[in-house]
Amino acid sequence: MDVRNLHGKTAMVTGAGSGIGRETAYALARRGADLFICDLDESGLKETQETIAAIGRDCFVQRVDVSISEEMRAFAEGVHAQVEAVDILVNNAGVGLGASFRDTRLEDWNWIVSINLMGVVHGCHFFTPKMIERSQGGHVVNVSSMAGYVSGEMLCAYSTTKYAVLGLSEALQQELKREGIGVTAICPGIIDTPITRSSRLRGAVDSTEMRERMVDTYRKRGYGPERVARNILKAVQRNRTVAPVSPESWVMYYVKRAAPWLVQWMGQKGNERAMHELEQG
């Protein structure tokens, strides 16, 4: 899909109240698209809407919990009352969870799967049929993660959901290609977003010190969500099915394909080092 000029086009972005979702909405608006955005953070949504309005684009806002199918259904109905179908669908809303399998509670599994996986499923379920019916193409962007192909002990549940989003995207790409609709799984990497502050932590990593260390590491990395947004547009333009973003995400993507045993070894050593640092306090 040509995204160099999006005047006359519309896009829907979930989780647009902050981070990657917000910056993606801005990037789309700057290219000329009108936006439909949702999030649980109403104040964040308002800020995003005001900035999009200042750019000169229309922006329809609704508070939505993507994990609840009826809320997503109602949101989609509101969108489709205004446009026949969106041109670009960005399923971005997500949450984080740092925990080993043994420290992950069943309620944690239900929580993270309902948002990170089912939130994407709901977006695709309620928006792609209209895109197909319209028969004018379009593009679906599902935000996965570097953790969607490189798992780690302390990201057990998170990686599970992001692997699932990657698999869903690859399968959906095969199906929607016949309809002239592209599908991209975005795999950002280590990105400084609010998720570092809001992620749930369990077990050995559940400490203020670990939280501060994680936030500081991501901040020092210096790779912000606006750079992910630019790469999302680039990936849509090139119709990439899987799109790593940051340098480490690209490196691990190719290493995983060429030498999966090496990724396992690196993950094990990294976890051992992290646990040693925790024990040392």
Side-chain angles (χ1 to χ4, degrees), residues 57-72:
R57 308 314 310 167
D58 292 334
C59 183
F60 174 83
V61 172
Q62 188 166 320
R63 183 188 183 279
V64 177
D65 184 338
V66 298
S67 72
I68 301 176
S69 61
E70 287 308 309
E71 289 196 16
M72 282 295 283

Side-chain angles (χ1 to χ4, degrees), residues 246-262:
S246 62
E248 66 274 6
S249 188
W250 276 105
V251 168
M252 295 309 293
Y253 177 66
Y254 284 115
V255 171
K256 181 63 178 282
R257 295 175 67 183
W261 62 270
L262 181 58

Side-chain angles (χ1 to χ4, degrees), residues 85-107:
V86 297
D87 297 285
I88 300 175
L89 170 65
V90 183
N91 292 303
N92 160 78
V95 293
L97 173 63
S100 65
F101 179 81
R102 72 173 66 185
D103 289 325
T104 304
R105 307 166 185 171
L106 284 179
E107 55 264 35

Side-chain angles (χ1 to χ4, degrees), residues 87-240:
D87 297 285
I88 300 175
L89 170 65
V90 183
N91 292 303
N92 160 78
V95 293
L97 173 63
S100 65
F101 179 81
R102 72 173 66 185
D103 289 325
T104 304
R105 307 166 185 171
L106 284 179
E107 55 264 35
D108 292 328
W109 279 105
N110 292 332
W111 172 71
I112 199 167
V113 169
S114 71
I115 298 168
N116 287 6
L117 175 56
M118 293 310 299
V120 175
V121 171
H122 292 154
C124 293
H125 178 80
F126 291 115
F127 285 89
T128 60
K130 292 293 186 180
M131 297 170 74
I132 294 170
E133 290 175 15
R134 189 184 56 172
S135 300
Q136 293 181 22
H139 206 98
V140 177
V141 176
N142 295 327
V143 178
S144 179
S145 171
M146 184 174 73
Y149 45 82
V150 179
S151 58
E153 179 181 339
M154 302 311 294
L155 290 175
C156 180
Y158 181 78
S159 288
T160 298
T161 61
K162 294 303 184 177
Y163 265 75
V165 169
L166 181 57
L168 166 65
S169 301
E170 290 180 330
L172 193 61
Q173 186 273 340
Q174 297 175 27
E175 182 175 344
L176 295 186
K177 183 178 181 179
R178 297 191 297 269
E179 311 295 339
I181 299 170
V183 179
T184 297
I186 295 291
C187 303
I190 299 175
I191 312 298
D192 184 18
T193 73
I195 199 171
T196 60
R197 301 164 187 83
S198 61
S199 294
R200 291 183 182 180
L201 302 178
R202 301 290 190 216
V205 297
D206 185 10
S207 68
T208 301
E209 178 188 358
M210 177 54 68
R211 173 85 64 188
E212 292 174 350
R213 185 184 302 178
M214 179 173 63
V215 170
D216 188 55
T217 297
Y218 277 64
R219 184 176 61 250
K220 288 180 178 178
R221 173 68 177 81
Y223 207 108
E226 70 283 350
R227 298 177 71 176
V228 179
R230 290 198 296 269
N231 277 277
I232 286 175
L233 291 178
K234 186 184 298 183
V236 173
Q237 183 72 37
R238 297 177 179 178
N239 196 26
R240 290 187 59 87

Side-chain angles (χ1 to χ4, degrees), residues 11-17 21 25 35-39 44-50 52 59-64 75 79:
M12 191 282 274
V13 183
T14 68
L35 274 296
F36 297 93
I37 62 174
C38 69
D39 201 305
L45 273 178
K46 183 179 179 181
E47 291 178 14
T48 304
Q49 182 186 38
E50 289 173 349
I52 290 173
C59 183
F60 174 83
V61 172
Q62 188 166 320
R63 183 188 183 279
V64 177
F75 179 52
V79 171

